[in-house]
Amino acid sequence: MALKPARLPFFLVSLWLLWFCPEQTAYAQSGGHGSVAGTVVDAQTKQPLGFATVFIAQTTYGTNSAENGTFKLTSLPAGSHELVVSFLGYETLSHTFTLQAGQQLSFRFEVKPKANTLQEVVVRADTNWRHNYGVFLKNFLGQSANAAQTEIINAEVLYFHFDPQERVLTAEAAQPLIIESKALGYRLHFVLEAFRADFKNSHVFHAGHPRFEALKPRSKAQQKRWDAARLRAYRGSLMHFTRALYNNALEAEGFNVRRLQRLPNPNRPPEAEIQAGLKRARSQMGAGMTVTYAGNEKEDSLTYWIRMSRLPKTVAYLHKDPVPYDQLVVREAGSGKRRLQFVDHLNVVYTKEKEELNYLHQSAFAKRRTPTFQTSLLTLLEPYTYIEPTGMILNPYSHLVEEYWAFEKLAEMLPLDYTPATEE
């Protein structure tokens, strides 16, 4: 198969954008519904907990427990779900289950009081809070046009810690974050489990349990704007791609998928050789040493080895032909589950929508260019992972996204029960 060097966009920083929702159901495709009822109690006292939040992760299905701790969720689609129980001062509890059509399930959830881990943080003033919060917003909500219309209502519940030696920023929240998107018309209640921005390795990871609540529009015109914005956010997204992949409809939905390899840069000497050259050149500074390289050009030794150290360690090569479905998805015998598995990396181009201008202008030093089709990279960190017709990749720790999908953060997120009007 033909290979050619890949022309990659200027922004190629590895970013992890992972959502902690282990199992979800095929909301749009399911046939039949069921219900779930139960009780939420304190694990130590066995007393009922009223007003606990109970919801199906990353959907609009949710409720609060009554004063006696009871709750009920009706009209749930049949299939696999993750139910989350959240209550201030208690550990968040999640439970996966499978619901059959017409079935009524009952659960008793005993939640444990949370250790007072934030107490020490509360009493210490954080003089860098505003700066850290700005960094958090860029890496959590994103920098898109939708992010500019998205606000964390209760930002004061956030606490940060920055390790200057490792250059890692972490965040935790004393309560679920309340996030309002004026662009998409949703209010999110986000139970933040983890946030870690590793600037040394250019990785961002955040995990949590999001619950969606549709805002009430002021007018039909506003609802129409929200519908249009939701459709734009959906098109080309990782959820859209995974749904299309599950249904063998990548080309019809506008996705071009090719294999990308990252191979050692043949023009870069081994790292040990570079470090030895730098050490030798620095020890002999002033001796007038030069090196001769291709083209019989001469250069002083230190400049040469510094230039070698700045060369990329790998070079990307893009395969010419699209990746066949049988090299992307494997259906398990017996269970019928679909596994996403492939070699190297997937270069995914969405041909029905171009890049947002904010994506091009993330860096003040980026070379200006006109928007082109949205290009993303997907890498598996495990041999395979399972996918659902909802568009969910089940194991959030199983994959890495880069480029455009890394740019599309929480401000572009849609509930798994979202169905575009074009699919109705």
Side-chain angles (χ1 to χ4, degrees), residues 124-421:
R124 281 201 298 263
D126 184 359
T127 57
N128 294 317
W129 188 93
R130 189 175 296 276
H131 171 77
N132 290 333
Y133 180 63
V135 175
F136 174 82
L137 286 181
K138 286 183 179 180
N139 290 281
F140 185 66
L141 297 184
Q143 302 180 67
S144 65
N146 284 345
Q149 299 183 64
T150 304
E151 180 185 3
I152 299 179
I153 304 300
N154 59 339
E156 69 278 1
V157 305
L158 281 163
Y159 301 91
F160 303 102
H161 176 263
F162 180 69
D163 184 333
Q165 184 173 353
E166 296 298 324
R167 295 180 60 205
V168 171
L169 176 69
T170 57
E172 55 185 314
Q175 302 175 25
L177 297 175
I178 301 173
I179 304 167
E180 192 166 293
S181 171
K182 294 181 174 64
L184 301 180
Y186 289 115
R187 181 178 292 112
L188 277 74
H189 302 261
F190 195 95
V191 180
L192 184 68
E193 296 291 346
F195 175 88
R196 177 184 172 88
D198 182 344
F199 300 104
K200 183 182 293 186
N201 298 302
S202 299
H203 286 171
V204 174
F205 171 82
H206 34 97
H209 304 279
R211 175 172 67 91
F212 285 80
E213 176 187 343
L215 296 176
K216 186 176 181 179
R218 294 190 301 269
S219 63
K220 291 183 178 179
Q222 186 177 52
Q223 183 63 59
K224 188 175 181 179
R225 288 194 297 272
W226 283 346
D227 290 340
R230 291 170 186 177
L231 184 59
R232 285 194 301 271
Y234 173 73
R235 286 175 174 165
S237 65
L238 181 60
M239 184 170 77
H240 184 193
F241 167 79
T242 309
R243 286 183 181 183
L245 178 61
Y246 190 95
N247 293 308
N248 284 19
L250 288 173
E251 294 81 6
E253 292 292 324
F255 291 99
N256 184 311
V257 182
R258 289 178 290 173
R259 177 184 173 189
L260 183 139
Q261 289 179 283
R262 283 174 173 157
L263 303 176
N265 186 349
N267 297 318
R268 191 180 196 275
E271 185 65 26
E273 185 178 337
I274 291 176
Q275 295 304 319
L278 287 170
K279 183 177 180 180
R280 185 171 56 253
R282 286 172 177 143
S283 68
Q284 297 175 342
M285 287 179 64
M289 289 188 62
T290 61
V291 293
T292 303
Y293 52 93
N296 294 321
E297 298 181 35
K298 293 186 177 181
E299 186 174 40
D300 74 83
S301 182
L302 182 59
T303 301
Y304 171 80
W305 287 114
I306 290 177
R307 184 166 59 84
M308 291 297 101
S309 70
R310 291 174 178 172
L311 290 176
K313 294 182 179 181
T314 60
V315 178
Y317 292 91
L318 195 61
H319 285 240
K320 180 180 179 181
D321 300 324
V323 182
Y325 280 98
D326 61 5
Q327 295 181 24
L328 292 173
V329 178
V330 174
R331 187 191 293 266
E332 281 190 343
S335 68
K337 292 182 178 181
R338 301 190 189 187
R339 298 192 320 206
L340 174 65
Q341 60 183 71
F342 54 86
V343 296
D344 296 316
H345 315 270
L346 293 186
N347 185 86
V348 181
V349 180
Y350 183 60
T351 62
K352 294 187 178 182
E353 193 172 273
K354 292 191 175 180
E355 302 157 325
E356 184 179 318
L357 285 177
N358 287 5
Y359 173 69
L360 304 181
H361 300 157
Q362 291 177 89
S363 170
F365 305 101
K367 184 179 179 181
R368 292 295 182 258
R369 61 178 176 85
T370 56
T372 185
F373 294 132
Q374 298 170 5
T375 300
S376 305
L377 287 181
L378 178 64
T379 304
L380 285 180
L381 304 177
E382 298 183 356
Y384 64 85
T385 190
Y386 293 102
I387 60 174
E388 289 275 288
T390 53
M392 174 58 67
I393 299 177
L394 295 184
N395 181 0
Y397 303 94
S398 66
H399 59 286
L400 171 76
V401 295
E402 299 175 64
E403 298 182 34
Y404 206 79
W405 283 339
F407 168 74
E408 294 185 320
K409 294 182 169 42
L410 187 133
E412 314 301 315
M413 194 180 191
L414 294 167
L416 290 175
D417 48 324
Y418 169 77
T419 302

